[in-house]
Amino acid sequence: MEFIRIDAWPPPEPVDYRPQLEAGNVLFFPKTPFPFPEESQQFLRQLNFAGGAIHKNIAYRPAQDKVTGFPADSGKMDRLRYIMREYSQAVVQFMAELFPQYAAAWKLDYASFRPVEEENRNLPVNKRNDLIHTDAFPSRPTNGDLILRVFTNIHPVKTRNWITTDPFRLIAGQYATGAGLREIAASSDSVSGWMRRQSARVLHGLGLPVVPRSPYDRFMLHFHEYLKRNAGFQQNCPKYRFNFPPGSTWLAFTDLVPHSVHSGQHALEQTFIIARQSMADPANAPVAILERICGKPLIPASTPKPSRHPAA
Ligand code: SIN
Ligand code: FE
């Protein structure tokens, strides 16, 4: 895999970077290619000192214009929401120019501010981001679409340090069968699998916290933890290190690029769910890779596609 550096933005001629990204590379902009004012960055960095109120990420839901993970009564909520919206909108505008084909069908997911130093965090294994993993969201199955994330390091001096490994195609080829892909795939055409999805759908419809998941989403959620818990994989996989400097922005399909963060503080992030059909080559989607490995469909025909939010 490669960290592909883009110095000049916008480029003199439009460039389609989809094949580079879909191959499992990271696009890296040493200078953040969209406006994000220094006062806003300072405000976010200073939140850390607000009486130890922050223990985890602050999340922003663009569709509801809502911030979670920060005390609503702190007196800082209005400004915080404004700044998260400002970041989210700037990223969306930039990404729509960089990837017009994705923008035509993407679903805008959450943004986040990551205020905590990543080094020596005391987290349970499944939440540790210093172990190499592929991303999957427990509460938001993608049904075979992809997770694209844009990160910005707003620390004034410290780099954000990542280690990645070979793209999903190679890692899944080596580990997916051992992780139980065939067993999960077999449930896609079994009666019990169908009944599990139907009852999950009914309970979900009644407002209960049950998430109907396709076999693909069940496998990806499992694989996330399987990789984190696999000491052999963690130790022996090829490692590519990259330290993202202050003021830089980078983006990757975090389900296609196994990744980990080892140190760094004060990053912003915006997630997009990219429709598989809008890829330069949908055969490179993780779901297509897994279906080739197990020889079975992983998205049952009856799985309804989630409705799409407007692009901005
Ligand atoms: C992750 O998605 O594992 C975290 C990456 C980061 O916060 O830099
Ligand atoms: Fe991750």
Side-chain angles (χ1 to χ4, degrees):
M1 68 140 313
E2 283 176 74
F3 293 87
I4 296 167
R5 181 183 169 121
I6 304 174
D7 282 299
W9 184 262
E13 297 283 319
V15 181
D16 185 0
Y17 282 106
R18 287 179 305 162
Q20 311 263 34
L21 213 56
E22 293 169 16
N25 298 311
V26 175
L27 295 191
F28 162 59
F29 295 81
K31 184 177 173 311
T32 290
F34 48 82
F36 190 58
E38 177 54 32
E39 310 84 80
S40 300
Q41 300 185 30
Q42 259 171 31
F43 177 87
L44 291 175
R45 293 191 291 254
Q46 280 164 9
L47 286 178
N48 245 3
F49 305 106
I54 303 173
H55 300 294
K56 56 183 188 96
N57 294 347
I58 290 171
Y60 174 69
R61 304 179 178 204
Q64 290 123 307
D65 191 29
K66 186 178 168 184
V67 168
T68 56
F70 193 76
D73 57 0
S74 62
K76 297 189 169 178
M77 190 44 112
D78 286 348
R79 178 97 198 269
L80 177 57
R81 191 188 307 109
Y82 176 89
I83 290 172
M84 293 305 292
R85 186 193 312 129
E86 184 181 41
Y87 178 74
S88 176
Q89 289 180 350
V91 173
V92 166
Q93 194 177 336
F94 158 68
M95 289 291 280
E97 285 165 27
L98 183 58
F99 293 116
Q101 295 94 337
Y102 291 159
W106 70 29
K107 179 177 160 226
L108 185 58
D109 198 77
Y110 302 167
S112 63
F113 173 53
R114 297 154 183 245
V116 182
E117 169 58 55
E118 298 292 340
E119 198 166 3
N120 300 323
R121 281 180 82 168
N122 190 15
L123 292 170
V125 170
N126 200 32
K127 291 207 161 30
R128 277 178 60 181
N129 281 341
D130 59 325
L131 296 168
I132 300 180
H133 63 279
T134 45
D135 283 352
F137 299 142
S139 60
R140 307 189 306 289
T142 72
N143 282 304
D145 290 339
L146 287 84
I147 300 173
L148 177 54
R149 301 187 117 164
V150 180
F151 295 87
T152 302
N153 181 1
I154 61 163
H155 197 283
V157 292
K158 277 204 290 198
T159 58
R160 192 169 188 86
N161 302 345
W162 273 31
I163 297 181
T164 65
T165 188
D166 288 332
F168 189 82
R169 179 174 52 82
L170 297 177
I171 298 305
Q174 224 177 324
Y175 293 97
T177 304
L181 174 63
R182 280 177 211 284
E183 291 74 10
I184 291 178
S187 72
S188 72
D189 46 20
S190 72
V191 173
S192 64
W194 182 85
M195 281 178 58
R196 181 183 35 240
R197 285 193 302 280
Q198 290 306 316
S199 51
R201 231 168 266 152
V202 170
L203 295 173
H204 185 72
L206 292 172
L208 290 163
V210 176
V211 181
R213 276 189 202 108
S214 65
Y216 169 72
D217 288 288
R218 282 203 290 135
F219 178 79
M220 291 302 278
L221 206 51
H222 169 66
F223 202 49
H224 166 102
E225 184 158 352
Y226 176 89
L227 292 178
K228 285 186 175 178
R229 291 190 185 277
N230 188 326
F233 163 72
Q234 294 293 331
Q235 256 162 34
N236 302 327
C237 69
K239 296 190 175 59
Y240 309 103
R241 291 163 206 275
F242 203 88
N243 297 346
F244 298 101
S248 66
T249 284
W250 62 102
L251 52 114
F253 282 115
T254 54
D255 42 13
L256 262 180
V257 182
H259 59 281
S260 58
V261 57
H262 290 261
S263 59
Q265 192 184 8
H266 298 315
L268 278 156
E269 172 268 340
Q270 170 69 59
T271 301
F272 299 83
I273 304 300
I274 301 300
R276 188 161 36 125
Q277 292 73 15
S278 69
M279 293 175 76
D281 186 357
N284 289 329
V287 66
I289 293 167
L290 293 172
E291 285 177 344
R292 284 198 295 277
I293 294 173
C294 70
K296 284 204 185 300
L298 293 170
I299 309 290
S302 59
T303 303
K305 291 284 270 183
S307 60
R308 300 201 174 282
H309 297 230

